[in-house]
């Protein structure tokens, strides 16, 4: 119950912060982040977006971020070369990336965060057709 209330509150705060946040370049870091506060018994999940652009995007004018979800919660919008660290408690999570241009393209995978796997490094990218995918970069 407390977890649900905390997630709802975090979501509301992050959405309100989006409307007031003004940055010189919105592509410098991921937007709309969740799961970034390190809690007791949580493990790091490092996520970065590579330099591959979607369709006609240019580095200075990107209209196609990869939207990253953890268990159906939107956890961030990633532009090229964005990096952040999420902190997750041991559990199995479904990770989803979406990339909406003319038609919405989606990729799903599952990951198990545990004490045996102290950190995970993921890379978000797009293929030649613009479909997003996740690479689990072994440390």
């Amino acid at each position: 119950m407390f977890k649900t209330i905390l997630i709802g509150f975090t979501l509301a705060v992050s959405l309100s912060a989006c409307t007031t946040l003004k940055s010189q370049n919105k592509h410098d870091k991921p937007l709309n982040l969740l799961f970034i506060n390190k809690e007791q018994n949580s493990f790091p999940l490092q996520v970065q977006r590579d330099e591959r652009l979607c369709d006609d995007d240019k580095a200075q004018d990107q209209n196609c971020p990869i939207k990253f979800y953890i268990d159906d919660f939107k956890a961030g919008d990633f532009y090229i070369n964005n990096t952040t660290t999420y902190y997750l408690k041991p559990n199995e999570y479904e990770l989803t990336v979406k990339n909406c241009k003319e038609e919405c393209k989606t990729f799903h995978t599952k990951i198990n965060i545990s004490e045996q796997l102290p950190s995970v490094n993921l890379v978000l990218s797009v293929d030649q057709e613009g479909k997003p995918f996740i690479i689990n970069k072994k440390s």
Side-chain angles (χ1 to χ4, degrees):
M1 177 69 177
F2 178 74
K3 183 178 178 181
T4 305
I5 293 170
L6 181 61
I7 290 172
F9 176 76
T10 304
L11 182 60
V13 169
S14 68
L15 289 175
S16 66
C18 291
T19 59
T20 59
L21 180 63
K22 300 280 184 188
S23 174
Q24 286 184 334
N25 186 350
K26 72 176 184 176
H27 309 301
D28 288 344
K29 49 188 167 181
L31 302 175
N32 307 317
L33 296 175
L34 290 179
F35 306 103
I36 58 171
N37 296 325
K38 187 173 183 178
E39 297 179 23
Q40 188 175 6
N41 300 321
S42 64
F43 296 95
L45 173 69
Q46 180 77 30
V47 178
Q48 72 180 75
R49 164 99 186 257
D50 67 4
E51 68 284 346
R52 292 200 59 179
L53 289 164
C54 302
D55 300 330
D56 298 325
D57 278 0
K58 295 179 179 31
Q60 299 77 17
D61 186 26
Q62 298 176 58
N63 298 310
C64 189
I66 292 178
K67 295 167 182 9
F68 180 66
Y69 295 81
I70 300 174
D71 283 347
D72 294 327
F73 290 98
K74 185 176 177 186
D77 293 330
F78 285 79
Y79 295 94
I80 61 167
N81 301 316
N82 288 167
T83 301
T84 197
T85 302
Y86 296 98
Y87 294 95
L88 302 174
K89 295 198 181 272
N91 202 354
E92 182 176 84
Y93 296 91
E94 182 174 359
L95 306 178
T96 303
V97 284
K98 293 183 180 181
N99 189 4
C100 296
K101 278 296 232 180
E102 292 174 18
E103 70 178 65
C104 191
K105 298 178 181 182
T106 305
F107 175 84
H108 302 277
T109 190
K110 290 189 179 190
I111 193 162
N112 193 351
I113 304 293
S114 68
E115 293 176 17
Q116 289 76 32
L117 191 64
S119 69
V120 178
N121 296 305
L122 303 177
V123 177
L124 309 181
S125 190
V126 292
D127 65 14
Q128 60 275 12
E129 283 130 30
K131 182 175 180 177
F133 60 94
I134 301 171
I135 302 167
N136 188 351
K137 200 167 99 177
K138 305 288 183 194
S139 303

